[in-house]
């Protein structure tokens, strides 16, 4: 496991540097009353210097969390595994602001103001305008652009990266199995289902939807989102609707056409959105319930977006970075592609020369968001494995 409390570590910085900023953002984003504001401050104090308090008697998910946290309750937060502790923090944050109800704040997304501002920003218009360039690209360049856009979409200073013929995302792609991903897709019969496990809402979700629009030309697509707000900007169904609406209402003809096609695909079922409760559980993906495992097993390919989903895919362990990706992700029920910008310590699938170069650079390359991966684990592509 990766502990949360080692001072100076990345997990420690999340709780002691990132979460205070997050609490301030939530507190100031909506006109919460004294009860909600006090609850947020108590959560922050507890999570940075207190012990883990078990869920309350009236909490709807008390039974699940008591089981997930068995052996942890009453211990300092820093002794809990990082993935678990982060999840419990965000669950508690929703409780602090009244999201679970009953009351006036029930179902009100505490991250909603930030999501809405990002989606409405003028920079999005510039990015959507770039969609028109897709029509004039060669297919290979177009595919490269789509993957690059989805990969770097959560970099606020980057757009879709389409106008340069699909070239740069502005960062260092350490492993690029993009061509192999398209080869897998091309070999599938028409109508095969493809899954995409979404990460963030807003500007990152837009290029994901553009990629889905292309996949829908030959395949059915299942889009997995969170059933409730989670990890600040994680996408929910409400965020999908907002993003599709932003595309449909765009003045740019290319973006508007994408939005109309996605709307029609939702209508006819070729695009399905699912929101399983497991996606807000403090567990790695190999612990997914049987019905979700069976769902993924029916996919010709699953695309897993983002850093948190990557951590869950590879069991959130500090593997040696040269450990083959297939050894830690090949257990997945379908062929799987990870599209990830590095924002945490966990990494696998790099060659020794790349690791040496990065370690010698002096930068915090695992967490600074300047490096990315496109990694495939599929039969015939590096074997398969299972978390040990």
């Amino acid at each position: 496991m990766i502990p949360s409390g080692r001072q100076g570590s990345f997990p420690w910085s999340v709780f002691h540097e990132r979460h205070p900023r997050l609490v301030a953002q939530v507190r100031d984003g909506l006109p919460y009353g004294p009860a909600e504001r006090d609850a947020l401050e108590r959560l922050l104090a507890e999570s940075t210097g207190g012990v883990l308090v078990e869920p309350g008697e009236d909490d709807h998910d008390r039974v699940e969390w008591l089981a997930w946290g068995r052996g942890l309750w009453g211990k300092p937060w820093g002794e809990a595994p990082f993935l678990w502790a982060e999840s419990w923090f965000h669950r508690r944050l929703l409780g602090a602001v009244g999201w679970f109800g009953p009351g006036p704040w029930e179902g009100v997304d505490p991250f909603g103001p930030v999501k809405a501002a990002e989606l409405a920003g003028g920079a999005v218009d510039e990015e959507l305008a770039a969609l028109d360039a897709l029509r004039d690209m060669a297919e290979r360049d177009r595919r490269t652009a789509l993957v690059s856009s989805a990969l770097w979409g959560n970099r606020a200073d980057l757009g879709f990266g389409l106008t340069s013929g699909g070239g740069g995302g502005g960062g260092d792609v350490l492993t690029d199995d993009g061509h192999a991903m398209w080869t897998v897709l091309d070999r599938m019969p028409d109508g095969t289902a493809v899954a995409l496990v979404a990460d963030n809402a807003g500007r990152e979700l837009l290029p994901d939807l553009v990629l889905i629009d292309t996949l829908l030309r030959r395949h059915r697509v299942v889009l997995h989102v969170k059933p409730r707000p989670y990890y600040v900007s994680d996408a929910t169904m409400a965020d999908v609707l907002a993003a599709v609406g932003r595309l449909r209402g765009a003045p740019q003809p290319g973006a508007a056409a994408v939005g109309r096609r996605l709307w029609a695909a939702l209508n006819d079922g070729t695009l399905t959105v699912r929101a399983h409760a497991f996606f807000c559980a403090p567990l790695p993906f190999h612990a997914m319930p049987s019905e979700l495992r069976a769902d993924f097993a029916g996919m010709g390919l699953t695309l897993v977006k983002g850093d948190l989903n990557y951590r869950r895919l590879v069991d959130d362990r500090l593997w040696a970075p040269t450990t083959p990706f297939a050894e830690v992700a090949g257990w997945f029920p379908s062929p799987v592609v990870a599209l990830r910008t590095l924002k945490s310590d966990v990494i696998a699938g790099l060659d020794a020369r790349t690791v040496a170069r990065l370690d010698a650079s002096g930068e915090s390359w695992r967490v600074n968001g300047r490096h990315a991966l496109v990694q495939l684990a599929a039969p015939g592509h590096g074997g398969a494995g299972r978390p040990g």
Side-chain angles (χ1 to χ4, degrees):
M1 80 166 194
I2 300 176
S4 303
R6 183 169 59 84
Q7 189 165 353
S9 67
F10 175 73
W12 187 91
S13 73
V14 168
F15 279 88
H16 292 264
E17 298 172 9
R18 182 184 300 176
H19 285 176
R21 294 193 294 268
L22 169 60
V23 166
Q25 181 186 81
V26 169
R27 184 189 59 224
D28 298 339
L30 291 168
Y32 290 117
E36 292 80 21
R37 297 169 71 87
D38 289 346
L40 285 170
E41 293 304 322
R42 290 197 305 273
L43 171 61
L44 186 59
E46 178 190 316
S47 63
T48 53
V51 299
L52 292 158
V53 178
E54 67 180 39
E57 294 288 344
D58 296 330
D59 286 344
H60 73 283
D61 50 1
R62 172 179 168 81
V63 173
E64 291 89 344
W65 274 102
L66 284 177
W68 292 332
R70 186 175 293 113
L72 294 174
W73 306 117
K75 293 183 176 181
W77 277 72
E79 294 186 14
F82 181 37
L83 177 65
W84 188 97
E86 271 194 297
S87 296
W88 180 233
F89 177 88
H90 284 88
R91 160 61 183 85
R92 289 282 304 281
L93 187 149
L94 288 184
V97 298
W99 192 90
F100 296 104
W105 293 106
E106 184 174 1
V108 177
D109 187 346
F111 314 122
V114 175
K115 292 177 180 178
E118 180 181 285
L119 198 58
V124 173
D125 286 322
E126 299 176 12
E127 294 167 345
L128 295 181
L131 288 176
D132 289 335
L134 285 173
R135 292 175 296 186
D136 300 324
M137 282 185 181
E139 183 65 14
R140 183 182 180 90
D141 290 340
R142 186 176 185 279
R143 289 177 167 189
T144 301
L146 288 168
V147 173
S148 178
S149 301
L151 185 63
W152 296 104
N154 59 349
R155 288 278 299 274
D157 60 335
L158 298 174
F160 282 131
L162 301 178
T163 54
S164 61
D172 184 8
V173 181
L174 304 178
T175 302
D176 189 355
D177 289 336
H179 178 72
M181 180 193 88
W182 287 109
T183 298
V184 171
L185 288 165
D186 287 342
R187 290 174 178 172
M188 293 179 191
D190 288 356
T192 302
V194 175
L196 190 149
V197 181
D199 186 30
N200 292 330
R203 288 176 68 184
E204 181 176 352
L205 186 57
L206 289 171
D208 292 347
L209 291 173
V210 175
L211 176 59
I212 286 172
D213 175 60
T214 294
L215 295 174
L216 285 167
R217 293 180 178 183
R218 289 192 52 227
H219 306 293
R220 295 179 292 114
V221 177
V222 178
L223 174 62
H224 291 272
V225 298
K226 302 297 191 299
R228 61 176 180 264
Y230 191 64
Y231 277 60
V232 188
S233 59
D234 282 9
T236 65
M237 184 61 184
D239 299 316
V240 173
L241 295 176
V244 173
R246 181 73 162 90
L247 289 165
R248 290 180 77 210
Q252 300 84 4
V258 170
R260 290 192 298 270
R261 289 193 295 268
L262 291 170
W263 186 278
L266 288 164
N267 285 162
D268 65 26
T270 52
L271 172 58
T272 304
V273 183
R274 296 178 185 161
H276 197 287
F278 176 77
F279 287 109
C280 288
L283 304 171
F285 282 166
H286 79 259
M288 72 177 72
S290 57
E291 71 276 9
L292 187 58
R293 184 180 294 266
D295 192 355
F296 282 123
M299 301 292 114
L301 182 69
T302 298
L303 283 69
V304 174
K305 278 294 307 292
D307 193 81
L308 174 60
N309 284 328
Y310 187 93
R311 290 167 54 194
R312 297 182 76 182
L313 177 65
V314 304
D315 206 33
D316 205 37
R317 300 188 191 186
L318 289 176
W319 305 98
T322 54
T323 304
F325 180 65
E327 287 189 13
V328 296
W331 64 270
F332 199 78
S334 73
V336 62
V337 172
L339 300 173
R340 177 213 182 188
T341 301
L342 276 64
K343 296 180 180 178
S344 66
D345 292 320
V346 178
I347 186 70
L350 301 185
D351 63 72
R353 182 176 298 180
T354 297
V355 175
R357 170 176 65 83
L358 293 168
D359 285 344
S361 69
E363 63 172 322
S364 301
W365 63 270
R366 294 177 183 239
V367 301
N368 63 14
R370 298 174 187 167
H371 307 277
L373 305 165
V374 182
Q375 292 179 315
L376 170 67
H381 188 81
R386 183 177 301 275

